[in-house]
Amino acid sequence: MTDLPVTSLTRVRRLPQYQVTDRAALYDILDGSLAATLAIVRDDRPIALPVGIGRDGDDVLIHGSTGSDFFRRIAAGAPVCLTVTHLLGLKYARSLFDSSMRYRCAVVHGVASVVPPEEKEAALLALSEHLMPGRAQEVRAMTGRELAATLVLRLPLTEASVKDNADSEVEEDGDGEDRGVWAGELPLRVTAGEPITSPQTAAGTPVPASIRRNQTATSGGTA
């Protein structure tokens, strides 16, 4: 597994000591997230939208409507920037200036390609398996009309950066700050709640096993 190359786009300039070039760290951040922010420049203005993601080897899978101008521009070759952040906690220093956050983040630059029709269903199933593991086996198959209305994109992980300050210190010895002021960290996490059954669901229908498994797996995770 090769390290992530450091380029003019991927070099971390602010606190560069927290840049990580281990590709496994990039995979871990992407695999631990259900969503990302995807950005392009449209008509000379930046635009960023939240998207669901799933990694397939050295690509990130993204899907959207074939009727979306945003996704059509990406399909046509507009350069994109995709960002994923895991917020781990708030760092309470003895001054607002030195207070900060603990996080792990990944930024991917590139041009996405359109998944061809013969590979689209498999790509959507791979994306579904990341977002809702096991759910595909519990519901009906996708229809041809649904497949035709969905655009699936692959974004290669060839130019990406990772920044990880999870182990950074809240304060430094000998900084001259008043030790009588509380300092420390407030850890943050995302926890799955109890499933809420749709009111149109037949009475007595049990919550499927895939949702219970996903509930357990998601509890205690980070965003």
Side-chain angles (χ1 to χ4, degrees):
M1 185 181 296
T2 59
D3 284 347
L4 298 170
V6 178
T7 70
S8 60
L9 281 177
T10 64
R11 184 182 302 279
V12 172
R13 290 171 171 78
R14 172 64 178 157
L15 302 177
Q17 66 270 29
Y18 296 127
Q19 180 162 14
V20 178
T21 58
D22 183 1
R23 188 171 291 272
L26 171 64
Y27 294 164
D28 188 56
I29 291 173
L30 295 174
D31 293 347
S33 182
L34 303 179
T37 299
L38 185 64
I40 64 171
V41 174
R42 182 173 69 182
D43 301 330
D44 297 323
R45 293 185 64 86
I47 179 171
L49 295 177
V51 293
I53 61 168
R55 184 175 65 88
D56 183 21
D58 250 352
D59 298 323
V60 173
L61 294 173
I62 308 161
H63 78 297
S65 169
T66 54
S68 165
D69 175 73
F70 180 78
F71 284 99
R72 286 202 304 266
R73 288 177 184 245
I74 295 173
V80 304
C81 177
L82 181 138
T83 305
V84 172
T85 301
H86 294 269
L87 184 57
L88 307 177
L90 296 175
K91 294 165 60 175
Y92 286 79
R94 302 181 201 279
S95 69
L96 293 180
F97 180 83
D98 291 320
S99 297
S100 183
M101 299 177 179
R102 280 208 171 99
Y103 60 89
R104 300 167 65 231
C105 68
V107 179
V108 182
H109 297 273
V111 174
S113 61
V114 178
V115 173
E118 65 272 16
E119 299 175 13
K120 186 185 291 188
E121 184 171 5
L124 285 171
L125 287 173
L127 183 56
S128 171
E129 193 59 25
H130 174 68
L131 298 173
M132 300 177 176
R135 185 58 171 165
Q137 287 73 47
E138 299 169 345
V139 297
R140 63 166 175 78
M142 289 175 276
T143 67
R145 183 176 181 180
E146 290 168 342
L147 288 171
T150 306
L151 185 64
V152 187
L153 302 166
R154 284 186 178 274
L155 179 62
L157 298 174
T158 53
E159 195 161 21
S161 62
V162 171
K163 190 174 182 181
D164 184 343
N165 78 346
D167 295 326
S168 61
E169 298 295 333
V170 174
E171 58 189 341
E172 298 180 0
D173 292 336
D175 58 13
E177 297 289 350
D178 180 2
R179 268 24 186 187
V181 176
W182 187 91
E185 178 187 0
L186 180 65
L188 301 174
R189 66 177 186 176
V190 173
T191 302
E194 186 64 23
I196 301 173
T197 301
S198 161
Q200 286 79 28
T201 301
T205 302
V207 175
S210 73
I211 296 173
R212 288 299 187 192
R213 288 195 301 270
N214 200 20
Q215 178 188 18
T216 301
T218 305
S219 296
T222 55

